[in-house]
Amino acid sequence: MTRKELFHHIKEKSSYLCVGLDTDLSKIPKHLLKENDPVFEFNKQIIDATIDHCVGYKPNLAFYESLGASGWESLQKTIEYIPDELFTIADAKRGDIGNTAKKYAEAFFERMNFDSVTIAPYMGRDSVDPFLQYEGKWSIILGLTSNESSTDFEELNLESGIALFEEVLSKASSWGTDDQLMFVIGATKPDKFQLVRKTIPNHFLLVPGIGAQGGDLDSISRIGFNDHCGLLVNSSRSIIYASDDKNFGASAKKAAANVQRSMKALLENYM
Amino acid sequence: MTRKELFHHIKEKSSYLCVGLDTDLSKIPKHLLKENDPVFEFNKQIIDATIDHCVGYKPNLAFYESLGASGWESLQKTIEYIPDELFTIADAKRGDIGNTAKKYAEAFFERMNFDSVTIAPYMGRDSVDPFLQYEGKWSIILGLTSNESSTDFEELNLESGIALFEEVLSKASSWGTDDQLMFVIGATKPDKFQLVRKTIPNHFLLVPGIGAQGGDLDSISRIGFNDHCGLLVNSSRSIIYASDDKNFGASAKKAAANVQRSMKALLENYM
C-alpha cells in the first residue's frame, strides 16, 4: 500500500486507528475456547466488528508464537482474512544481520502478505535493508517506544548532543523514502512529538500507548499531524478486551467507534 | 543449565563451540528435499554428526519463520531432539514491552524448552525482565554485533564518553546475575574484547562471526577467556554447509572437529 492510498483510506473512514490483535487465550471470552481455532475465531469477530472504524490491524507476534505452530496458523488465517484496503502490521520488532534479516522479510512479506513489519534499529542499516527491497512494503522502525524503560537507552544523550532515538530517526530516515519507512513513537511521550516532527516531518508515525498504556490522543494528534495525516494510532487491549462475554464484538465496536469519533473531530479541526 | 554445568561440559568436551542451525531449504543437500520434514532431517543429521565437538546449538528463528507454521514444527522437533546436556539458544533477538515480552518468554522457555534466548536491548529493562523470571534460563543480550552496520548505533559515543554498547553491557549486567545473563559480542571486533572484559569480566559471551563472517578464533579467545571459559563461539554456515552432497554430515563433523581442535589447544594454553 502506498502512502497516498493509506491517506485516502484515512480520509474515507475519518480514522487513523489501528487495532492491535494481541490475542491471548487467557483473556478472550471463554465460550470461544471450544472453537477449533479460538484465536482466529476471536480475531475474525474483532475484525468484523471494528473494520468500519479503523484503517489497519497490528497482530503482535509474541501472542502467536507463545502458541507454537498453531499460533502461526491462526496468524496466517487472520492476515488472509483482513481485506486488502486495511493496512497490516506484523509487530515483530525483528532485527538481525543481512542474510538473516532477508529471511524475516520473506516470512512477513512473502509467506504472509503483511504490508509492514516493525524493526528494532540496534544493529543498524544492514539489518533493515533487506526489508526495503520489497516494493509497496513498509519498514516501521522503533524510535521512541511507549514503555517506561525507554529511558534506559533510547533517551540517552549522544556525544553529538542529541538523544539516541533522534539519531535513529535522523539516520534511519535516510535509508529509504517516506513511502517505505515509518517510525514507532509512543503516545506516552507527548512532549517529544514536536522534536520528532522537526526531525521527520513527512513520515508516518505508528503510535502505540493510548488506551491501556495511558497516552493522550488529543495532544499527540495536534502535534503529530502532517499533510498526509502522518499518524497511525494503535490501541489493543482497550478495544479487543472491552468485554469478555458473548457480546465482546459489540463492545469492541463501541470502543473502536469512540476512538474513531475523537479522531474524526481531530482530523477536522487540526489537520 | 547453570554456569557451572556449562563450564563442566566445556571442560569435558574441550570445546566452547556452538553450532548455528540456520537451516535454509535452498542450501541443504537436494536429496533431503524429498523427506517429509527436510529441515528437521537436516538438523538431526547435523546434530548427530557434530554433537561430540560442540557444547551447544543455536537455531536462528528467521530461517524457521520463513517457512511459516511448518518451520515452527521443525524447530520444535529439533529442540526436542537435542539432548539436555547441550546448551540451546533461540537466536530470536526479541524485545518488546513487558506484557508482550512475557509472551515471548513463554514461547521459548515453556512452549519450547530452550535454555536461552537472544534479546535486543533497545527498549530497555522492562523488555528483558520477563525472561529473567525463569530459573535456570538465560537471557543473551545483544552487545556489539558482528555485522558492519554495528557502527551505526552500537558504537556511537554517548555524552558520558562511553559507546552505546558499553552502556548496554554495564547497565544490563545489573539486571540479573552472571548465571542469568550473557552478551553477544561479535568475533569481527577483536580490538573491542579487552574493553568488554573490563566491563563484564565474569559473564559468558556468545560470539558469532567466526567462519563465514571472518572473525579470528585465536585473538578473541586469548582476550575473551575468563576462569569459567566465558566464551561460546558460534559457527553456522561454515559447519552446516561444509558440503551439500550425501556426505554433508561427515563434512560438517570434520569442520566442527577442526574448530574444536583449535579450541582444545586454546583452552590448554590460555585459559
Side-chain angles (χ1 to χ4, degrees):
Chain A
M1 187 183 295
T2 65
R3 193 163 59 131
K4 209 170 139 185
E5 285 162 347
L6 179 56
F7 184 43
H8 171 76
H9 296 309
I10 288 172
K11 283 186 293 188
E12 206 174 43
K13 284 184 163 170
S14 296
S15 172
Y16 45 103
L17 173 63
C18 174
V19 173
L21 298 171
D22 297 359
T23 307
D24 185 337
L25 283 181
S26 70
K27 285 188 183 159
I28 67 176
K30 295 287 166 286
H31 73 280
L32 292 178
L33 298 177
K34 63 176 195 299
E35 297 286 339
N36 193 28
D37 184 342
V39 171
F40 176 60
E41 193 52 45
F42 177 79
N43 287 352
K44 189 169 159 296
Q45 292 193 41
I46 290 287
I47 293 163
D48 290 347
T50 56
I51 198 161
D52 291 340
H53 306 290
C54 69
V55 291
Y57 290 99
K58 178 177 80 63
N60 187 304
L61 270 284
F63 293 87
Y64 301 85
E65 289 183 16
S66 70
L67 304 172
S70 86
W72 277 73
E73 305 252 19
S74 308
L75 180 61
Q76 178 92 44
K77 280 194 267 178
T78 301
I79 189 75
E80 282 163 14
Y81 185 74
I82 299 171
D84 279 353
E85 67 270 22
L86 277 289
F87 188 75
T88 51
I89 303 168
D91 194 0
K93 301 184 175 71
R94 300 301 194 255
D96 211 315
I97 61 171
N99 78 312
T100 308
K102 193 167 166 288
K103 288 288 164 186
Y104 279 130
E106 272 176 47
F108 298 113
F109 293 158
E110 295 185 35
R111 173 74 41 181
M112 292 186 277
N113 190 21
F114 276 99
D115 291 305
S116 66
V117 58
T118 57
I119 302 175
Y122 189 71
M123 295 178 68
R125 180 175 189 155
D126 57 28
S127 63
V128 178
D129 264 345
F131 295 95
L132 297 174
Q133 306 311 312
Y134 289 79
E135 212 186 306
K137 301 289 187 184
W138 294 78
S139 299
I140 307 180
I141 297 178
L142 301 184
L144 182 59
T145 56
S146 58
N147 59 321
E148 252 183 57
S149 305
S150 59
T151 51
D152 277 339
F153 305 116
E154 298 171 17
E155 293 192 43
L156 289 183
N157 273 342
L158 299 172
E159 206 174 48
S160 62
I162 63 171
L164 173 61
F165 80 89
E166 292 175 69
E167 177 74 11
V168 167
L169 302 183
S170 144
K171 198 173 268 178
S173 61
S174 74
W175 299 340
T177 69
D178 43 23
D179 261 302
Q180 296 184 290
L181 287 165
M182 298 188 186
F183 291 90
V184 174
I185 305 292
T188 50
K189 310 281 170 70
D191 54 312
K192 295 290 196 294
F193 268 71
Q194 217 135 22
L195 185 61
V196 168
R197 272 301 178 220
K198 233 174 93 180
T199 314
I200 43 166
N202 297 322
H203 288 77
F204 260 92
L205 311 179
L206 172 63
V207 184
I210 68 155
Q213 293 181 64
D216 174 47
L217 180 65
D218 267 51
S219 1
I220 63 104
S221 298
R222 292 184 196 202
I223 315 171
F225 280 147
N226 63 21
D227 65 358
H228 275 70
C229 173
L231 297 175
L232 281 176
V233 172
N234 184 75
S235 185
S236 304
R237 288 170 273 178
S238 57
I239 291 178
I240 69 174
Y241 301 129
S243 82
D244 65 353
D245 51 27
K246 294 214 168 176
N247 296 319
F248 73 97
S251 309
K253 185 182 177 64
K254 204 174 145 193
N258 269 339
V259 179
Q260 186 251 326
R261 224 177 349 258
S262 307
M263 288 180 165
K264 186 171 191 284
L266 287 161
L267 283 167
E268 283 167 359
N269 292 325
Y270 299 102
M271 208 201 81
Chain B
M1 188 182 295
T2 65
R3 193 164 60 131
K4 210 171 140 186
E5 286 164 346
L6 179 56
F7 184 41
H8 172 76
H9 296 310
I10 289 172
K11 283 186 294 187
E12 207 174 44
K13 285 184 162 170
S14 296
S15 171
Y16 44 103
L17 173 64
C18 176
V19 173
L21 299 172
D22 296 358
T23 307
D24 185 336
L25 284 181
S26 70
K27 286 186 182 160
I28 67 176
K30 296 286 166 286
H31 72 280
L32 292 178
L33 298 177
K34 64 178 194 298
E35 297 287 337
N36 193 26
D37 183 344
V39 171
F40 175 61
E41 193 52 45
F42 178 79
N43 287 352
K44 189 168 160 299
Q45 292 194 41
I46 290 288
I47 293 164
D48 290 347
T50 57
I51 197 161
D52 291 340
H53 307 290
C54 69
V55 291
Y57 290 100
K58 179 177 78 63
N60 187 305
L61 270 283
F63 293 86
Y64 301 85
E65 289 184 16
S66 70
L67 303 172
S70 87
W72 278 74
E73 304 251 18
S74 307
L75 179 62
Q76 177 92 42
K77 281 195 266 179
T78 301
I79 189 74
E80 282 163 14
Y81 186 76
I82 299 172
D84 280 352
E85 66 271 23
L86 276 287
F87 188 75
T88 50
I89 302 167
D91 194 359
K93 301 186 176 70
R94 299 301 194 253
D96 211 314
I97 63 170
N99 78 313
T100 308
K102 194 166 167 286
K103 288 288 164 186
Y104 279 130
E106 274 175 44
F108 297 113
F109 292 157
E110 295 185 37
R111 173 73 42 180
M112 291 185 279
N113 191 21
F114 276 99
D115 290 307
S116 66
V117 58
T118 57
I119 302 175
Y122 189 71
M123 294 178 68
R125 181 176 190 155
D126 56 28
S127 64
V128 178
D129 263 345
F131 295 95
L132 298 173
Q133 307 310 312
Y134 289 80
E135 213 185 306
K137 301 290 188 184
W138 295 79
S139 299
I140 308 180
I141 298 178
L142 301 184
L144 182 59
T145 57
S146 58
N147 58 321
E148 252 185 57
S149 306
S150 60
T151 51
D152 278 338
F153 306 116
E154 299 172 17
E155 293 193 42
L156 288 184
N157 273 342
L158 299 173
E159 203 174 53
S160 63
I162 64 172
L164 173 62
F165 80 90
E166 292 175 71
E167 176 74 11
V168 167
L169 302 183
S170 147
K171 197 172 270 179
S173 61
S174 73
W175 299 340
T177 70
D178 43 22
D179 262 303
Q180 296 182 290
L181 287 165
M182 299 188 185
F183 292 90
V184 174
I185 306 291
T188 50
K189 311 280 168 72
D191 55 311
K192 294 290 195 297
F193 269 72
Q194 217 134 22
L195 184 62
V196 169
R197 273 300 178 221
K198 235 175 92 181
T199 315
I200 44 166
N202 299 321
H203 288 78
F204 260 92
L205 311 179
L206 172 62
V207 184
I210 68 156
Q213 292 182 65
D216 174 45
L217 181 65
D218 267 50
S219 1
I220 63 104
S221 299
R222 292 183 196 204
I223 315 171
F225 279 147
N226 63 21
D227 64 359
H228 275 71
C229 175
L231 297 176
L232 282 176
V233 172
N234 185 76
S235 185
S236 304
R237 289 169 272 177
S238 57
I239 291 180
I240 69 173
Y241 302 128
S243 84
D244 65 354
D245 51 26
K246 294 213 169 177
N247 296 319
F248 73 97
S251 310
K253 185 182 176 65
K254 204 173 144 193
N258 270 340
V259 179
Q260 186 251 326
R261 226 179 347 262
S262 308
M263 288 181 166
K264 186 170 190 287
L266 287 161
L267 282 167
E268 282 166 1
N269 293 325
Y270 301 101
M271 209 203 79

